[in-house]
Amino acid sequence: MKFADFISPEAIRAELTADDKEGVIREMVQALLEAGRIRQDQVESIVRAILNREELGSTGIGRGVAVPHTKHASVADLVGAVGVSSEGVDFNSLDGERVFVFFLLISPPDRPGDHLRALENISRQLRNDTFCRFLRQSRTAEEIRQLLDEVDNNQLLP
Amino acid sequence: MDQRKQSRTVRVDNRAGLHARAALLIAKLAREHEVALAVVKDSQAAEASNMIQVLSLGARQGDELVLEASGPRAEEALDALERLFAERFHEEDEDGKSPG
């Protein structure tokens, strides 16, 4: 699975302004709404579901990255957003570090396989130091779009 | 003290595979036991304490994995990790709420 298969190019935010977990999740869900990937009347329910999932254990997976997510019946396909916060946010990550890069995923309830493949793809790329550094240093959505594109096409050197 | 590497083979039984919460439980267990613990799929090895490495294995339901540990608490850590797999990461407790 490639980033292009689940990240909406219109739901990429290089300058997240929120300074806490709930705020960042709201900003990114809003990005998916503006990208036309989710419905307005589902926004609150999706935000609640993602926050409830975080209660079970933080999705801060290390290297300054988190993957907040939920299943939600209102989506027919896996949808994803990417956000970068230059200040970083406390996300209760296991390693105790602040989170600067977010991949937010919403998947249809009966398709755990797609969700797992998206996590696998994100994690594989995060093992590349260059990718992590460039992503975190991105200051425009266009820079992030290009970076994801390069990774999808194996053009990024390790 | 036995420094030899010990290993166990386990199967991923939970429906969602090794998702984020499973990786978190594995990482917490590895950190609690302060032991060098690895999860191996095919020939790819992941440090159990590293969620990104574990998630990058992309282990799905039915996949067989080898758990490896060395050090004085290896046996104990492997027992605990094996139990976590057998208990399916407590996934059934919250079925329908989250993919993990």
Side-chain angles (χ1 to χ4, degrees):
Chain A
M1 189 179 269
K2 292 173 181 263
F3 283 118
D5 295 327
F6 61 96
I7 298 295
S8 305
E10 302 82 13
I12 296 175
R13 297 289 181 271
E15 295 173 63
L16 293 173
T17 55
D19 59 3
D20 64 6
K21 181 180 271 202
E22 178 168 346
V24 161
I25 288 168
R26 285 190 181 281
E27 247 183 305
M28 294 187 68
V29 170
Q30 183 66 26
L32 282 170
L33 173 68
E34 287 166 12
R37 302 309 304 265
I38 56 170
R39 300 203 316 261
Q40 173 79 59
D41 62 354
Q42 299 298 327
V43 166
E44 203 51 38
S45 163
I46 289 170
V47 168
R48 282 291 133 213
I50 294 172
L51 287 170
N52 287 342
R53 164 60 187 85
E54 288 294 324
E55 290 293 311
L56 299 174
S58 174
T59 59
I61 57 175
R63 305 202 87 165
V65 179
V67 288
H69 58 264
T70 188
K71 287 178 189 168
H72 205 270
S74 68
V75 296
D77 295 298
L78 175 64
V79 295
V82 180
V84 173
S85 158
S86 55
E87 300 292 315
V89 175
D90 179 4
F91 223 71
N92 308 317
S93 297
L94 184 62
D95 64 6
E97 301 290 328
R98 290 171 81 78
V99 172
F100 296 84
V101 177
F102 302 85
F103 290 90
L104 183 136
L105 305 171
I106 307 170
S107 54
D110 292 317
R111 301 256 294 276
D114 287 356
H115 171 74
L116 194 66
R117 276 189 286 276
L119 279 182
E120 177 186 356
N121 177 62
I122 293 166
S123 304
R124 274 184 198 275
Q125 306 307 340
L126 290 175
R127 295 179 77 158
N128 180 335
D129 294 338
T130 308
F131 176 65
C132 283
R133 196 174 64 249
F134 282 1
L135 195 51
R136 190 159 152 171
Q137 290 170 350
S138 296
R139 288 297 171 262
T140 67
E142 188 51 33
E143 279 175 36
I144 298 173
R145 261 192 287 276
Q146 283 176 13
L147 183 61
L148 299 183
D149 213 43
E150 284 170 26
V151 167
D152 275 350
N153 294 302
N154 298 313
Q155 289 168 340
L156 190 72
L157 297 174
Chain B
M1 255 191 266
D2 186 357
Q3 294 295 330
R4 282 175 308 172
K5 194 185 278 182
Q6 303 187 45
S7 66
R8 308 265 175 93
T9 300
V10 293
R11 198 180 57 203
V12 179
D13 278 337
N14 60 308
R15 202 170 74 91
L18 282 196
H19 50 79
R21 203 172 45 81
L24 176 64
L25 292 173
I26 292 171
K28 278 184 172 169
L29 190 150
R31 286 166 192 235
E32 281 161 13
H33 285 79
E34 295 174 344
V35 62
L37 195 57
V39 180
V40 185
K41 184 189 162 202
D42 303 325
S43 56
Q44 195 188 343
E47 283 175 37
S49 59
N50 185 318
M51 290 178 69
I52 288 174
Q53 289 189 18
V54 171
L55 288 173
S56 71
L57 297 177
R60 297 157 181 43
Q61 186 178 34
D63 284 350
E64 285 209 334
L65 305 175
V66 177
L67 311 176
E68 295 178 346
S70 54
R73 295 183 67 194
E75 191 82 34
E76 187 188 324
L78 288 173
D79 284 345
L81 193 51
E82 199 174 18
R83 204 174 312 126
L84 205 49
F85 275 85
E87 291 168 354
R88 304 179 184 194
F89 305 97
H90 316 294
E91 195 173 89
E92 266 60 39
D93 298 350
E94 49 169 280
D95 202 31
K97 277 192 201 165
S98 157

